[in-house]
Amino acid sequence: MKSALFVDFDNVYSGLRRLDQETADQFARNPTVWMNWLIRSLELPEPVTPGARRRVLVRRCYLNPQAYQRFRPSFNLAGFEIIDCPALTSEGKTSTDIHMVLDIVDLLQHETHYDEFIVFSADADFTPVLRKLRRWDRRTTVLAIGFPSAAYRASADLLIDQDDFVRNALSFDESGTILDPLQHAQPAPPTANDSNGSVTVPQDTLVEAIKGEIARTAYPVPCARLAALLINLDSSLAADWGGKGTFRRFVETLDLSPIAFDWRDSGGVAYDPGQSGGSATRPSSAADEWADLSLYRIAKQIHDVTDVPLLTPDRYRKLIAAIASDVAEHPFSLIETGKRVRDRCKESGQPVSRADINHVLRGMIMRGHAFDDGPNDAATLARKLANNVRSLCLREQLILDEATDKAIRDWIGSR
C-alpha cells in the first residue's frame, strides 16, 4: 500500500505536552521509533489486499521553526521533508493547515496514485479534505491527540488510538520506561496458544470462565467484569494480555462462539444471542446497572456523540475518588497513575478499563487542571471533568439546556 504521511508537528506535540512532557519529547526526538511502528505494526485500513504492506513514500513534517527548530535534526534523520510554517500573527497562528491541504490535494492527483493518506493532527479543519479523499476512493488514517470531533472521527477510515500510540509507537513499557528498539531487544509477544508465553492458564479454561459468567444472566455482561475474571484466573494477563496489548484483541483470539461482543458502549459488553430469544442482536436492557433510566438516556446520547465513557454515576464517583486518593499518595504521571487507578478500581469491586481511565484523566488535563499544582480533591476533579463533558457537547452542537446540564452534574457527581 503506497502511503503519504503528513504531520502537523505543532498540533501533535502541544497535545502530547499537555498530557505529559516526557511523552511529547519522545515523539519529537525519536520519530524513527514511531515510524518503524507505523510501517511494521499499525493495521492497514480496510479494504486491504491480503499480504499487503505499508510503504510510506512521502513523509512531510510541518513545523514552526521559531518554536521547534531544535527538533529539526531528528526528523531529518527519519527521512522527513520539513516544511517551515512560521507564525504569521501575534497570536502565533501559522499556515500549517493550508500547506497540508494543498499538498494533500496535489498528491491526490499525482501519477503515483497514493492509496493511503496519513494525517497526524486533531484539527477538525481537515474533515473536508478527509471526505474528499474518501470520494476519490483513497484510504485515510488519522492520529488525533485529545478529543477529535465526531465528524472528524467518522471521516477517517482508521483512527489511531492515542493510548496505543503512546504505549506501542513511542515504545513505552508497562512501567512507563521509554525503550529504544536499537538498544533494547524485546522478546516476541506471547499468545494465548503459546505455552512458553506469559499466559499460564489453558485457553479452554479461559473460554469456559467467560461463557460461564455470561450464562449466569440474561443481560449483557460488561467486558470489564470479564477482564477482571480472567485476571483472577491468571494474574500475568494484567501486564499486556498475552502480548495482545488489550482485552479486546486478546478475546478475539479465543473461540467463544456463540458469544457476541458489542464495543459501542464504554468498555464493551458480551452476551449470548440465544438468551434473548434467538435474536441476532444484543438484549435491549443494557442499562440494567442504572437506577435512573432517564439519566441513562441522556448519558447514552452524550456518549454516542462525544465518546465520553458511559460509566454509571456510582462508578464515576468511585473512579474520581480513586484518582484523588492516588495523586495524594504519588506524583502524577499519566501512564503510572492510570495503571494504579485501574488496580484500585478493580480491588474495590468496580473495575474500570484503562482506556476509560485515560479518557477521564485527559479530560481533566484538557480543561487546564494541573495535578502537580492541585487542588486534587474529588469535588474539584469532578467539576473539571463535568466541564470537559460540557465543552465536548458544545463542540458537537448538543443543546445544553437546564435538564442536560443537571444530568451531567448528576452523572459525573459534580456540584
Side-chain angles (χ1 to χ4, degrees), residues 7-18 27 62-64 68 94 96-97 100 120-126 143-146 152 366:
V7 178
D8 182 346
F9 180 88
D10 300 28
N11 184 284
V12 177
Y13 181 77
S14 60
L16 288 172
R17 186 173 56 189
R18 293 175 69 180
F27 166 79
Y62 301 80
L63 177 147
N64 179 355
Y68 301 117
T94 70
T96 295
D97 295 357
M100 288 179 65
F120 278 24
S121 177
D123 195 332
D125 289 348
F126 290 109
L143 170 68
I145 303 301
Y152 191 52
M366 292 298 181

Side-chain angles (χ1 to χ4, degrees), residues 102-288:
L102 289 173
D103 287 350
I104 289 172
V105 172
D106 182 48
L107 290 185
L108 178 61
Q109 303 175 64
H110 195 277
E111 61 183 8
T112 301
H113 189 90
Y114 294 95
D115 305 297
E116 179 191 30
F117 288 75
I118 307 170
V119 177
F120 278 24
S121 177
D123 195 332
D125 289 348
F126 290 109
T127 301
V129 77
L130 294 182
R131 291 173 175 170
K132 181 179 181 67
L133 290 168
R134 177 175 288 171
R135 290 195 297 270
W136 282 61
D137 193 27
R138 306 301 171 88
R139 308 294 174 262
T140 54
T141 298
V142 169
L143 170 68
I145 303 301
F147 301 102
S149 69
Y152 191 52
R153 298 195 307 267
S155 299
D157 294 303
L158 176 64
L159 186 68
I160 302 174
D161 182 83
Q162 61 181 311
D163 293 330
D164 285 345
F165 182 75
V166 170
R167 283 196 301 269
N168 301 320
L170 299 184
S171 295
F172 281 92
D173 66 9
E174 184 68 12
S175 66
T177 303
I178 299 175
L179 302 178
D180 182 348
L182 298 178
Q183 301 180 27
H184 300 83
Q186 302 185 49
T191 67
N193 296 316
D194 187 353
S195 58
N196 295 321
S198 61
V199 181
T200 59
V201 175
Q203 190 177 89
D204 290 345
T205 301
L206 301 178
V207 170
E208 290 173 5
I210 292 175
K211 290 185 175 181
E213 185 69 17
I214 294 172
R216 293 189 181 96
T217 176
Y219 302 118
V221 177
C223 287
R225 188 194 309 173
L226 298 178
L229 176 67
L230 297 191
I231 290 174
N232 287 335
L233 291 174
D234 184 353
S235 60
S236 66
L237 288 172
D240 65 351
W241 289 104
K244 299 302 180 184
T246 65
F247 172 77
R248 178 174 180 174
R249 291 176 181 171
F250 178 75
V251 296
E252 286 174 349
T253 68
L254 305 178
D255 182 9
L256 291 167
S257 180
I259 302 302
F261 289 84
D262 188 331
W263 302 102
R264 290 174 297 178
D265 280 349
S266 180
V269 294
Y271 61 97
D272 183 350
Q275 293 179 219
S276 57
S279 171
T281 59
R282 52 172 284 193
S284 60
S285 52
D288 61 300

Side-chain angles (χ1 to χ4, degrees), residues 9-81:
F9 180 88
D10 300 28
N11 184 284
V12 177
Y13 181 77
S14 60
L16 288 172
R17 186 173 56 189
R18 293 175 69 180
L19 299 175
D20 181 71
Q21 182 65 57
E22 186 180 21
T23 302
D25 287 343
Q26 171 69 348
F27 166 79
R29 298 188 183 280
N30 296 283
T32 300
V33 174
W34 52 261
M35 274 302 303
N36 287 336
W37 173 84
L38 185 101
I39 294 170
R40 300 172 185 173
S41 302
L42 180 64
E43 62 184 299
L44 298 175
E46 297 290 346
V48 60
T49 305
R53 297 183 60 188
R54 178 179 282 113
R55 297 181 61 211
V56 184
L57 304 182
V58 174
R59 306 179 184 185
R60 291 182 179 168
C61 176
Y62 301 80
L63 177 147
N64 179 355
Q66 297 165 336
Y68 301 117
Q69 179 69 18
R70 63 190 183 280
F71 299 125
R72 179 186 292 269
S74 301
F75 281 82
N76 279 330
L77 290 174
F80 278 83
E81 302 173 57

Side-chain angles (χ1 to χ4, degrees), residues 236-399:
S236 66
L237 288 172
D240 65 351
W241 289 104
K244 299 302 180 184
T246 65
F247 172 77
R248 178 174 180 174
R249 291 176 181 171
F250 178 75
V251 296
E252 286 174 349
T253 68
L254 305 178
D255 182 9
L256 291 167
S257 180
I259 302 302
F261 289 84
D262 188 331
W263 302 102
R264 290 174 297 178
D265 280 349
S266 180
V269 294
Y271 61 97
D272 183 350
Q275 293 179 219
S276 57
S279 171
T281 59
R282 52 172 284 193
S284 60
S285 52
D288 61 300
E289 293 186 21
W290 291 67
D292 186 341
L293 290 181
S294 62
L295 176 58
Y296 168 78
R297 284 191 288 269
I298 296 176
K300 181 68 164 61
Q301 180 188 22
I302 294 174
H303 163 75
D304 289 342
V305 175
T306 67
D307 211 29
V308 171
L310 191 61
L311 305 176
T312 64
D314 183 55
R315 192 157 297 194
Y316 259 120
R317 287 169 177 77
K318 292 184 178 179
L319 170 58
I320 293 171
I323 295 173
S325 297
D326 186 83
V327 296
E329 300 171 7
H330 306 279
F332 178 79
S333 164
L334 185 62
I335 294 175
E336 285 299 304
T337 300
K339 178 183 175 183
R340 290 191 300 266
V341 169
R342 177 198 61 188
D343 295 341
R344 283 175 181 263
C345 292
K346 183 181 69 175
E347 292 167 1
S348 70
Q350 293 272 19
V352 180
S353 71
R354 184 77 174 273
D356 286 347
I357 293 171
N358 285 346
H359 194 290
V360 168
L361 292 175
R362 289 198 306 267
M364 295 174 185
I365 295 172
M366 292 298 181
R367 289 306 300 170
H369 184 69
F371 283 97
D372 292 336
D373 299 332
N376 294 317
D377 58 281
T380 298
L381 298 182
R383 185 168 61 255
K384 292 290 180 68
L385 181 59
N387 286 339
N388 182 62
V389 174
R390 292 186 184 96
S391 68
L392 293 176
C393 289
L394 291 172
R395 186 191 65 185
E396 302 300 341
Q397 301 180 31
L398 283 175
I399 298 175

